[in-house]
Amino acid sequence: MDAGEFHSVVGVFACQVHWGDCDPAGIIFYPTYFRWMDAACWSFMESAGYGAKRMRAEHRAMPLVSAECRFLAPAEHGDRCEVRSRIARFGGKSFVVAHQIVRSDGTPLAEGAETRVWGRYADGPGTPMRGETIPEAVKALFRAR
Amino acid sequence: MDAGEFHSVVGVFACQVHWGDCDPAGIIFYPTYFRWMDAACWSFMESAGYGAKRMRAEHRAMPLVSAECRFLAPAEHGDRCEVRSRIARFGGKSFVVAHQIVRSDGTPLAEGAETRVWGRYADGPGTPMRGETIPEAVKALFRAR
Amino acid sequence: MDAGEFHSVVGVFACQVHWGDCDPAGIIFYPTYFRWMDAACWSFMESAGYGAKRMRAEHRAMPLVSAECRFLAPAEHGDRCEVRSRIARFGGKSFVVAHQIVRSDGTPLAEGAETRVWGRYADGPGTPMRGETIPEAVKALFRAR
Amino acid sequence: MDAGEFHSVVGVFACQVHWGDCDPAGIIFYPTYFRWMDAACWSFMESAGYGAKRMRAEHRAMPLVSAECRFLAPAEHGDRCEVRSRIARFGGKSFVVAHQIVRSDGTPLAEGAETRVWGRYADGPGTPMRGETIPEAVKALFRAR
């Protein structure tokens, strides 16, 4: 079991605030940030060698235990952003991904985290999912040198 | 092959324009209508005896061939609407669902159609899907008396 | 300023898990819960006399400070749910809405909270927004008797 | 009035199929294509000199008259795509944007079109919108040389 924070590599996911991501107040509709964090998490996995195809082939998914976000500044239509993701913590079968969302001018827009289970379908998609102990080899993929 | 229009029962799907369904112009973001039409189609199937559970159990889905919509009047946050769906046409393996979207004050907001395949996964979700000839018994579920 | 929890009325927002709300794992895509919580918050406001029209007329919005959710059980396509919302706390210019998401069979699916500002556009939509002190008359609308 | 097709420049909008863009069948949920076409249209405008900031400053929007899409091949989670957009036709106050959606391996996934009005808010966002005659100078921005 890990004590303290994991020293993680950082993934970068580029995104942009689209017209339909905004609400009548003219700013980003907040669930968009969670859509971005989810996509950023998959992208982060891919950068470590666990792309969508491999995840599918191994019948893996990463169901959520919890998610949270603090909103620091409003984003507007057209803003180019990036989500910077890192592993904040590896537990036995779960892990925490911390995300920073930053606009291209350097303004921090939001800070969030997802707690996820390292999961596998018992018998392919659509069948029940179980958490599995995260192998050291998987953790090593995310360890910064 | 069908000649002319199918005399269909009509399904009704209630929905509402939520804050996040609108864009910075303060009106509904148009892909929302397609989300509604999809949900209305599933609801229409359910009303005819093909609910989500049965569709899953029979490994069915209804992949799209095409979709279209004309937008007649802008909808605003809070508007209560309904989607009125009917089968416009049954083909051999495909069918056309026509949707009218009407606000609670009677104003027509949009008119659309989806062309879908009556499909089945070869071997459960995630495996390839094939169209199947639509049985007369299924067509009968939607025939108005 | 409030000490402790606010004794709040409860709002109920009905919703359903649509096909497009689910992911390839066959369960709800988690940002859907945040979309629901946002819509439930607006519905809760409406039940207290602050509907979308009045909010617009008074140039109000409710920008987010933070949002969080714990996911307790997976929801599937077709599940009928409700979001039960209450004010957990009124601060000076901000307030916390607590949401419970429950399936029609009584299963708790998720528990979340949104911290929001009681805001007003300086000069109509599209112009900057400022927080305002929440009037006692507004708080009274949500107080359980 | 235009006779025949407009000889248009082509805009390219890069996108990717995210986990939450897919449905329980494991393929893209079709309204995602319309979200992409909308974002691609705004990106196309930006490439011609009409970015989000300028559109806002001039109180412009591009409300839809209609939208349609044919789906040619299923896209899966992780697929990298691009939307290739061109003006198919300029009318008096309206225009048609044709979109081709192509996967990175060259497979055409979908073909769609949006008919939009060249519109302006009477008095800023939230106020009614009127169509305006599209100036020759605007048309010239999209003419291929």
Side-chain angles (χ1 to χ4, degrees):
Chain A
M1 193 178 160
D2 279 30
E5 201 133 308
F6 182 80
H7 191 46
S8 173
V9 296
V10 175
V12 175
F13 175 78
C15 48
Q16 191 179 14
V17 182
H18 298 305
W19 176 255
D21 298 332
C22 299
D23 61 27
I27 58 174
I28 196 169
F29 178 54
Y30 87 83
T32 306
Y33 285 122
F34 289 102
R35 285 205 290 113
W36 285 0
M37 294 198 303
D38 187 83
C41 182
W42 283 95
S43 162
F44 186 35
M45 290 291 138
E46 184 175 31
S47 70
Y50 261 101
K53 282 212 165 81
R54 180 174 178 189
M55 294 289 270
R56 263 202 304 276
E58 299 187 5
H59 291 178
R60 297 202 176 283
M62 306 180 291
L64 274 283
V65 175
S66 65
E68 60 186 61
C69 196
R70 290 189 312 125
F71 310 104
L72 307 172
E76 290 191 334
H77 177 211
D79 285 357
R80 285 166 207 282
C81 309
E82 60 183 44
V83 183
R84 296 171 192 164
S85 309
R86 59 185 177 79
I87 303 289
R89 187 180 169 280
F90 272 120
K93 298 181 176 182
S94 71
F95 57 105
V96 179
V97 188
H99 302 280
Q100 284 188 302
I101 301 165
V102 180
R103 192 162 51 201
S104 57
D105 66 358
T107 308
L109 297 176
E111 279 182 357
E114 299 173 310
T115 302
R116 292 175 176 267
V117 170
W118 184 248
R120 230 161 86 98
Y121 305 106
D123 196 29
T127 63
M129 202 178 308
R130 289 183 317 238
E132 295 192 336
T133 300
I134 305 171
E136 283 304 318
V138 169
K139 295 182 185 177
L141 296 172
F142 295 94
R143 193 166 283 129
R145 262 151 290 200
Chain B
M1 192 182 160
D2 280 29
E5 200 134 308
F6 181 80
H7 191 46
S8 172
V9 296
V10 174
V12 174
F13 175 78
C15 49
Q16 191 178 15
V17 182
H18 298 305
W19 175 255
D21 298 331
C22 298
D23 62 27
I27 59 174
I28 195 169
F29 179 54
Y30 88 82
T32 306
Y33 284 123
F34 290 101
R35 285 205 290 113
W36 286 359
M37 294 198 303
D38 187 83
C41 182
W42 283 95
S43 162
F44 186 35
M45 289 292 137
E46 184 176 29
S47 70
Y50 260 101
K53 282 211 165 82
R54 180 173 177 189
M55 295 288 271
R56 263 203 303 276
E58 298 187 5
H59 291 179
R60 298 201 176 283
M62 306 180 291
L64 274 284
V65 175
S66 65
E68 59 185 62
C69 196
R70 291 189 311 128
F71 311 105
L72 307 173
E76 290 189 335
H77 175 213
D79 285 358
R80 286 168 206 280
C81 307
E82 62 183 43
V83 183
R84 296 171 191 164
S85 309
R86 59 186 177 78
I87 302 290
R89 187 180 168 280
F90 272 119
K93 297 180 176 181
S94 69
F95 58 105
V96 180
V97 189
H99 302 280
Q100 284 189 301
I101 301 166
V102 181
R103 191 163 52 202
S104 57
D105 65 359
T107 306
L109 297 176
E111 280 182 355
E114 299 173 311
T115 301
R116 291 174 176 266
V117 170
W118 185 248
R120 230 160 87 98
Y121 305 105
D123 196 30
T127 63
M129 202 178 309
R130 290 182 318 237
E132 295 193 336
T133 300
I134 305 171
E136 283 304 318
V138 168
K139 294 182 186 177
L141 296 172
F142 295 94
R143 193 165 283 129
R145 260 149 292 200
Chain C
M1 193 181 162
D2 280 31
E5 202 134 304
F6 182 79
H7 191 45
S8 172
V9 295
V10 175
V12 175
F13 175 78
C15 49
Q16 191 178 15
V17 181
H18 297 305
W19 176 254
D21 298 333
C22 298
D23 61 28
I27 58 174
I28 196 169
F29 178 55
Y30 87 82
T32 306
Y33 285 124
F34 289 102
R35 286 205 290 112
W36 286 359
M37 294 199 304
D38 188 83
C41 182
W42 283 95
S43 163
F44 186 36
M45 291 290 138
E46 184 175 30
S47 70
Y50 260 101
K53 282 212 164 80
R54 180 173 177 189
M55 295 288 270
R56 264 203 303 276
E58 299 188 4
H59 291 178
R60 296 200 178 284
M62 306 180 291
L64 273 284
V65 175
S66 65
E68 61 185 58
C69 196
R70 292 189 310 128
F71 310 105
L72 308 173
E76 290 190 335
H77 177 212
D79 284 357
R80 286 167 205 281
C81 309
E82 60 183 45
V83 183
R84 295 172 191 164
S85 309
R86 61 187 176 75
I87 302 290
R89 187 179 169 280
F90 273 120
K93 298 180 176 181
S94 69
F95 57 105
V96 180
V97 188
H99 302 280
Q100 284 187 302
I101 301 167
V102 181
R103 192 163 49 202
S104 57
D105 65 359
T107 307
L109 298 176
E111 279 182 355
E114 299 173 310
T115 302
R116 292 174 175 267
V117 170
W118 185 248
R120 229 161 86 97
Y121 306 106
D123 196 30
T127 63
M129 203 178 310
R130 288 182 319 238
E132 295 193 336
T133 301
I134 304 172
E136 284 303 319
V138 168
K139 295 182 186 177
L141 295 171
F142 294 94
R143 194 165 282 129
R145 259 150 291 200
Chain D
M1 193 180 160
D2 280 29
E5 201 135 306
F6 182 79
H7 192 46
S8 173
V9 296
V10 174
V12 174
F13 175 79
C15 47
Q16 192 179 13
V17 181
H18 298 304
W19 175 255
D21 298 332
C22 298
D23 60 29
I27 59 173
I28 196 169
F29 178 54
Y30 87 83
T32 306
Y33 285 123
F34 290 101
R35 287 204 290 111
W36 286 359
M37 294 198 303
D38 188 83
C41 181
W42 283 96
S43 163
F44 187 35
M45 291 291 137
E46 183 175 31
S47 69
Y50 262 100
K53 281 212 165 83
R54 182 175 176 189
M55 294 288 271
R56 265 202 303 276
E58 298 187 5
H59 291 177
R60 298 201 177 282
M62 306 180 291
L64 273 285
V65 175
S66 65
E68 60 186 60
C69 196
R70 290 189 311 126
F71 310 105
L72 308 173
E76 290 191 335
H77 177 213
D79 285 356
R80 286 166 206 281
C81 309
E82 61 183 43
V83 183
R84 296 171 190 165
S85 309
R86 60 185 176 79
I87 303 289
R89 187 180 168 281
F90 272 120
K93 298 180 175 182
S94 70
F95 58 105
V96 179
V97 188
H99 302 280
Q100 285 188 301
I101 301 166
V102 181
R103 191 163 51 202
S104 57
D105 65 359
T107 308
L109 297 176
E111 280 183 356
E114 300 174 310
T115 301
R116 293 175 175 266
V117 171
W118 185 248
R120 229 162 85 98
Y121 306 106
D123 196 29
T127 64
M129 203 178 309
R130 288 183 318 239
E132 294 193 336
T133 300
I134 304 171
E136 283 304 318
V138 169
K139 295 181 186 176
L141 296 172
F142 295 94
R143 194 166 282 129
R145 260 151 291 198

